[in-house]
Amino acid sequence: MADAPIRIVLADDHRMFREGLASLLRAEADFDLVAEAGNGREALRLARELTPDVLILDVTMPEMNGVDTARAVRDAVPDTAILALSMHAEGRFVTEMFQAGAGGYVLKMSDFDELAEAVRTVSSGGRFISPRVAGDVVSLMVESSGAAVGSADGLSSREREILHLLAEGKSSKESASILHVSVKTVDSHRRQIMAKLGLNSVAELTKYAIRSGITSL
């Protein structure tokens, strides 16, 4: 009996790119694209609901970036393999995604055949790195392989979520609605974030979030 197709959720906030990639994935006989997401929070929800074999995850997305989404998916759905898809070839993006739980990292400039190979590799428990970045990150990965997974800036997962939303221009009320918490909770976390980072305004928080890769705005 033939093996069951690889069930995939695709998460990317660029609709035209996502729809084009979705069409290519559907054309593969051993792939089953079960859902698409336009942001990290939606990707996490779909991963929890559908438990796909592979989550193809854009590294920079609104509401919740790829690193934080990968951490949350790893904790909530450990059997789902995560394949990072990104335009960023810098070593820090690659190592952060692997530390967050990704099993593979593919550049958006890659051929589709490379992406398809990566999907098949991570779905079977293997690891895959685009050849264009592998040489630059091997030493970094070796150095960080024994490091604990966590935030270098000391922020909790919830604080990073709130920082991401505030940096995108969301108000405390909007952030509270998205996270299903009170406005008072958001404001309290914002004060804690500022205290931890030594920052004094939302503008400074936004600059920090961009520099640290928490948001790509």
Side-chain angles (χ1 to χ4, degrees):
M1 188 172 81
D3 292 335
I6 299 169
R7 300 175 66 255
I8 300 168
V9 168
L10 170 63
D12 193 292
D13 63 312
H14 295 97
R15 184 172 179 180
M16 186 178 296
F17 176 84
R18 187 178 73 243
E19 290 179 348
L21 181 53
S23 178
L24 292 171
L25 291 168
R26 290 191 183 98
E28 295 294 304
D30 58 335
F31 291 171
D32 177 17
L33 181 62
V34 296
E36 300 174 38
N39 61 63
R41 198 166 300 283
E42 186 180 8
L44 174 58
R45 177 182 64 80
L46 290 171
R48 284 171 169 162
E49 291 178 0
L50 302 173
T51 60
D53 299 309
V54 176
L55 169 61
I56 300 177
L57 183 63
D58 188 9
V59 173
T60 52
M61 287 187 297
E63 293 198 14
M64 195 174 186
N65 65 33
V67 173
D68 292 330
T69 303
R71 287 190 183 118
V73 170
R74 179 201 61 208
D75 293 339
V77 198
D79 290 337
T80 292
I82 300 169
L83 175 60
L85 183 62
S86 179
M87 61 183 291
H88 300 292
E90 294 91 336
R92 71 181 180 92
F93 288 99
V94 184
T95 53
E96 282 182 0
M97 284 303 296
F98 273 99
Q99 288 174 347
Y105 194 103
V106 176
L107 295 177
K108 288 187 174 182
M109 68 184 72
S110 303
D111 295 335
F112 176 73
D113 287 346
E114 183 177 311
L115 175 66
E117 179 185 354
V119 169
R120 296 182 180 107
T121 299
V122 300
S123 71
S124 62
R127 288 190 171 241
F128 188 98
I129 308 178
S130 280
R132 290 182 179 87
V133 298
D136 294 333
V137 302
V138 168
S139 60
L140 287 174
M141 289 185 63
V142 170
E143 292 172 5
S144 63
S145 61
V149 175
S151 174
D153 51 27
L155 300 181
S156 68
S157 296
R158 177 62 86 190
E159 288 168 343
R160 286 173 64 88
E161 285 182 305
I162 289 174
L163 174 55
H164 191 144
L165 293 171
L166 294 175
E168 287 183 339
K170 300 285 194 304
S171 66
S172 292
K173 184 176 180 180
E174 290 171 324
S175 299
S177 177
I178 290 170
L179 298 174
H180 305 292
V181 298
S182 69
V183 173
K184 184 177 180 181
T185 296
V186 172
D187 288 339
S188 175
H189 278 300
R190 186 186 70 242
R191 290 192 294 270
Q192 290 173 4
I193 294 166
M194 288 179 169
K196 284 184 177 181
L197 300 178
L199 303 177
N200 300 303
S201 68
V202 172
E204 290 180 351
L205 287 177
T206 300
K207 291 178 182 178
Y208 175 85
I210 294 171
R211 286 197 309 269
S212 62
I214 291 174
T215 182
S216 61
L217 294 177

